[in-house]
């Protein structure tokens, strides 16, 4: 009898009781924010993700001006997989037209999202990129409105997202205990930046689950390099380019190494990666399963860390978010 194929690890998300696949499906590319994606490609990618054990899908009305939600909704429905077998998060407060975290707008927003996603509820509703507005509005107006949506059964859990790490304790220290279930951080747990690590004990003490996105640092840790708009400094870009070239010279891929590095911290429930094709899904799942069964390539990792040492934990201002 053949041995069962290894499966993606499931990790607990704070106190929610949810168990997320260690790799999450970031659906922003389904909104065509990185280039064309057909409906057929989107459906095939989501179906393959579900087949290979990915159970967490993240989107937002902001991605592709609502297109990401629509495409993800169609793809999940087409998969034929029952609703209780996958976990969906969407967001509110950030839209093509700008930011609006008023109670009225976020209350309307979830109904619009549910219609686009063809769902009765989402598992997590995040306040999207809260650093661009008054954090006191988030505390005093937005979160109370989201708690009412939770009571109404439109979302099971509440989250907050953003780039600067300081926003998370600011809000968590000012809302009732248990009001916020999860945070979504990006670009702060990768080979070049591990500053999220310092916040993990605090988040654990609050019972808050952690989702980390963009393990490739919005394209820095890739062979092709970051997009032109990337806000990193020239020094950070150059160091990452050198690290990618070093990996290639050794017959390794820096993106795979970065993905596996991001998976190494078990206090992070899932690593969220943007995907828009069956090939990308298979590569990410394969990297995760290889990490779980074989472990990291410590030799090449230590060489890459040495190259990136002069720019370690160098971040950039908020403003552009594309994962």
């Amino acid at each position: 009898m053949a041995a069962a194929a290894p499966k993606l690890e499931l990790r607990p998300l704070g106190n929610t009781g949810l168990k997320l696949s260690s790799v999450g499906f970031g659906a922003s590319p389904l909104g065509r924010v990185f280039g064309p994606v057909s409906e057929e490609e989107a459906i095939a990618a989501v179906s393959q993700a579900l087949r290979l054990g990915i159970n967490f899908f993240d989107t937002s009305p902001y991605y592709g001006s609502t297109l990401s939600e629509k495409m993800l909704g169609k793809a999940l429905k087409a998969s034929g997989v029952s609703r209780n077998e996958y976990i969906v998060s969407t967001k509110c407060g950030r839209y093509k037209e700008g930011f609006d975290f008023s109670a009225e707008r976020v209350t309307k927003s979830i109904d619009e999202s549910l219609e686009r996603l063809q769902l009765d509820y989402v598992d997590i509703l995040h306040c999207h990129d809260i650093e661009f507005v008054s954090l006191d509005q988030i505390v005093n107006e937005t979160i109370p409105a989201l708690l009412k949506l939770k009571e109404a059964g439109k979302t099971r859990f509440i989250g907050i997202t953003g780039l600067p790490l300081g926003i998370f304790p600011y809000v968590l220290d000012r809302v009732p205990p248990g009001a916020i279930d999860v945070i979504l951080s990006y670009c702060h747990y990768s080979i070049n930046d591990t500053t999220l690590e310092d916040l993990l004990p605090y988040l654990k003490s609050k019972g808050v689950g952690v989702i980390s996105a963009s393990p490739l640092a919005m394209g820095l840790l890739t062979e092709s390099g970051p997009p032109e708009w990337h806000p990193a400094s020239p020094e950070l870009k150059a160091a990452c380019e050198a690290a990618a070239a070093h990996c290639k010279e050794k017959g390794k891929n820096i993106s795979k190494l970065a993905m596996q590095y991001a998976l190494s911290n078990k206090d992070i429930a899932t690593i969220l990666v943007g995907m828009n094709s069956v090939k990308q899904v298979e590569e990410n799942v394969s990297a995760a399963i290889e990490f779980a069964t074989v472990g990291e390539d410590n030799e090449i990792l230590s060489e890459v860390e040495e190259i990136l040492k002069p720019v370690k934990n160098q971040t950039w201002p908020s403003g552009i978010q594309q994962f």
Side-chain angles (χ1 to χ4, degrees):
M1 187 175 162
K7 290 237 171 190
L8 272 182
E9 180 188 2
L10 295 177
R11 298 181 181 179
L13 182 66
N15 290 344
T16 63
L18 297 177
K19 288 195 168 178
L20 273 53
S21 50
S22 58
V23 176
F25 189 112
S28 70
L30 301 189
R32 300 176 185 154
V33 297
F34 297 108
V37 182
S38 70
E39 201 170 294
E40 293 72 24
E41 286 172 317
I43 289 169
V46 168
S47 293
Q48 184 69 338
L50 287 161
R51 272 195 294 273
L52 295 180
I54 291 176
N55 72 351
F56 176 55
F57 298 82
D58 174 82
T59 183
S60 166
Y62 177 62
Y63 302 149
S65 305
T66 74
L67 182 61
S68 171
E69 285 187 324
K70 290 171 188 165
M71 293 273 265
L72 179 60
K74 283 179 182 175
L76 287 170
K77 189 158 191 177
S79 74
V81 173
S82 64
R83 175 66 183 94
N84 61 358
E85 290 186 37
Y86 54 81
I87 294 160
V88 176
S89 68
T90 193
K91 306 183 181 79
C92 63
R94 185 171 197 181
Y95 311 98
K96 180 190 176 185
E97 307 76 38
F99 293 93
D100 187 346
F101 285 97
S102 66
E104 183 185 1
R105 183 68 187 99
V106 299
T107 301
K108 189 180 170 198
S109 186
I110 185 61
D111 290 332
E112 295 167 349
S113 289
L114 292 174
E115 188 177 337
R116 288 189 286 262
L117 288 162
Q118 303 180 54
L119 298 175
D120 296 324
Y121 67 92
V122 291
D123 297 279
I124 305 164
L125 180 60
H126 291 288
C127 298
H128 195 176
D129 290 343
I130 61 174
E131 69 265 31
F132 293 98
V133 298
S134 160
L135 295 181
D136 291 330
Q137 182 190 23
I138 302 296
V139 169
N140 299 317
E141 183 178 358
T142 317
I143 297 300
L146 266 53
L147 287 168
K148 286 180 183 171
L149 297 176
K150 188 176 179 179
E151 282 171 29
K154 293 181 180 183
T155 185
R156 294 172 68 196
F157 302 104
I158 293 168
I160 50 177
T161 86
L163 181 66
L165 293 174
I167 62 177
F168 300 120
Y170 184 95
V171 173
L172 286 165
D173 286 344
R174 288 165 176 79
V175 296
I180 291 170
D181 305 288
V182 55
I183 67 113
L184 192 164
S185 167
Y186 68 100
C187 293
H188 287 307
Y189 200 84
S190 51
I191 305 176
N192 62 295
D193 185 334
T194 55
T195 46
L196 177 60
E197 207 162 35
D198 296 336
L199 199 59
L200 293 176
Y202 165 84
L203 294 168
K204 196 180 245 187
S205 76
K206 294 275 190 181
V208 172
V210 181
I211 297 166
S212 180
S214 205
L216 310 186
M218 300 196 307
L220 284 174
L221 302 175
T222 61
E223 286 186 359
S224 55
E228 268 184 49
W229 51 256
H230 201 292
S233 70
E235 294 79 17
L236 179 51
K237 287 179 181 175
C240 290
E241 189 179 341
H246 179 77
C247 285
K248 195 171 184 180
E249 198 178 293
K250 294 288 181 91
K252 306 288 182 181
N253 183 287
I254 194 164
S255 298
K256 183 179 177 182
L257 188 73
M259 181 73 191
Q260 293 181 336
Y261 182 88
L263 288 163
S264 64
N265 195 315
K266 299 295 182 82
D267 288 331
I268 295 169
T270 188
I271 303 302
L272 196 55
V273 193
M275 304 186 223
N276 63 12
S277 68
V278 167
K279 182 172 181 277
Q280 288 178 358
V281 169
E282 290 172 346
E283 285 173 351
N284 287 316
V285 171
S286 171
I289 288 173
E290 182 186 290
F291 170 73
T293 51
V294 181
E296 286 172 298
D297 187 331
N298 290 319
E299 186 181 341
I300 191 74
L301 178 60
S302 62
E303 290 167 5
V304 165
E305 285 182 312
E306 193 58 36
I307 293 168
L308 295 178
K309 200 173 178 180
V311 292
K312 183 76 185 266
N313 295 337
Q314 186 185 111
T315 188
W316 50 80
S318 290
I320 302 176
Q321 183 225 324
Q322 293 279 356
F323 65 81

